Amino acid sequence: MIRVLLVDDDQELTAMLSEYLEREGFETSAVHTGEEGEIEALSGLYSIVVLDVMLPRLSGIEVLRRIRARSQVPVVLLTARGDNIDRITGLELGADDYVPKPSSPGELVARLRAIMRRVQPGDRHTCEVIRSGPLVLWPGKRQAQWQGRELGVTSTEFSLLEELARSAGQVVSKQDLSLNALGCPLTRYDRRIDVHISSIRQKLGPRPDTKAWIQSVRGLGYLLIAE
């Protein structure tokens, strides 16, 4: 059973979402303040967190910052429609995805399922190891190692790294990255891929020649240097 934590001060909305999610096979709990959201998200009891950005007192962005300081539990942000600043800030802080408000419960369910499919891969990946230069990935365990040390990445960052590592030395289009790593088609003006890749680059650091390990190929996509 996938356990979902809803963090939103709109109690009518959380009641409606809880009812819908439970009909779809999820187990849900809801809290209505940022302080409660932080405590529950860090409890280890939940598979994924749905976090509203516009919370009173302690904002959703600050809650996300505190969660990411101690946990890689998947987080989906609820953001105001058209509010690109909060969306980009959230992705930079390690959110796995966002859903605009208002949106259909069906869209939220689709995003949750896409993330959980990535977090809980099939048995065929259990013993698989992917190596590309100093990068080693264990898809079955969702673990990453960089230059011999554990690499702390979110579930979405891991999925992007996996797609790039499987095609190391070759360009992977943004559309393919979006479909295979995010579970949804790329839409116009969608910056999710770019923001996640930027975060991964910072974690990998520069190459000895000062260039990035993940190269942008204008108009085509991204390439992970294989060496």
Side-chain angles (χ1 to χ4, degrees):
M1 179 72 71
I2 296 173
R3 299 195 67 189
V4 180
L5 173 65
L6 302 174
V7 187
D8 196 312
D9 62 321
D10 187 335
Q11 298 189 30
E12 183 177 345
L13 175 63
T14 56
M16 182 270 290
L17 288 177
S18 293
E19 182 179 352
Y20 188 93
L21 288 169
E22 287 172 2
R23 288 204 306 266
E24 293 294 319
F26 297 88
E27 182 179 337
T28 65
S29 296
V31 295
H32 308 293
T33 68
E35 292 84 353
E36 292 174 304
E38 178 189 355
I39 292 169
E40 288 298 307
L42 293 173
S43 69
L45 297 175
Y46 300 94
S47 311
I48 193 165
V49 178
V50 178
L51 175 63
D52 184 24
V53 168
M54 299 297 292
L55 290 170
R57 298 193 303 276
L58 189 64
S59 74
I61 293 295
E62 180 57 29
V63 174
L64 173 62
R65 192 191 312 274
R66 296 183 183 187
I67 291 172
R68 278 294 170 261
R70 297 173 56 188
S71 171
Q72 294 299 328
V73 61
V75 176
V76 176
L77 294 180
L78 295 177
T79 67
R81 189 172 294 277
D83 192 346
N84 289 326
I85 294 176
D86 277 342
R87 293 176 185 177
I88 292 172
T89 300
L91 292 175
E92 289 175 338
L93 289 174
D96 291 271
D97 205 345
Y98 61 80
V99 174
K101 292 175 66 177
S103 62
S104 70
E107 180 180 359
L108 177 59
V109 166
R111 297 294 175 86
L112 294 178
R113 284 182 171 154
I115 291 172
M116 294 313 299
R117 279 197 299 271
R118 302 196 298 267
V119 174
Q120 300 173 331
D123 291 340
R124 66 189 180 88
H125 293 305
T126 300
C127 299
E128 185 180 11
V129 180
I130 302 172
R131 300 178 186 274
S132 176
L135 176 67
V136 184
L137 302 175
W138 291 269
K141 298 185 290 185
R142 305 291 289 179
Q143 290 182 358
Q145 191 177 82
W146 177 249
Q147 296 178 338
R149 297 182 179 180
E150 182 179 355
L151 180 65
V153 291
T154 67
S155 62
T156 298
E157 290 169 353
F158 185 95
S159 296
L160 287 166
L161 267 176
E162 181 181 349
E163 289 300 315
L164 291 170
R166 289 184 184 278
S167 301
Q170 303 174 46
V171 177
V172 183
S173 71
K174 287 185 180 182
Q175 188 63 258
D176 284 345
L177 285 172
S178 187
L179 286 169
N180 297 330
L182 303 188
C184 60
L186 187 69
T187 58
R188 194 176 185 185
Y189 306 123
D190 191 336
R191 291 196 56 202
R192 273 176 258 219
I193 298 291
D194 302 315
V195 176
H196 286 305
I197 292 293
S198 175
S199 175
I200 296 170
R201 281 172 170 162
Q202 291 181 30
K203 293 177 180 181
L204 298 182
R207 286 165 39 82
D209 60 7
T210 73
K211 294 181 180 179
W213 284 94
I214 301 176
Q215 298 287 308
S216 301
V217 182
R218 186 175 180 83
L220 295 176
Y222 289 102
L223 175 151
L224 175 65
I225 296 177
E227 61 176 55

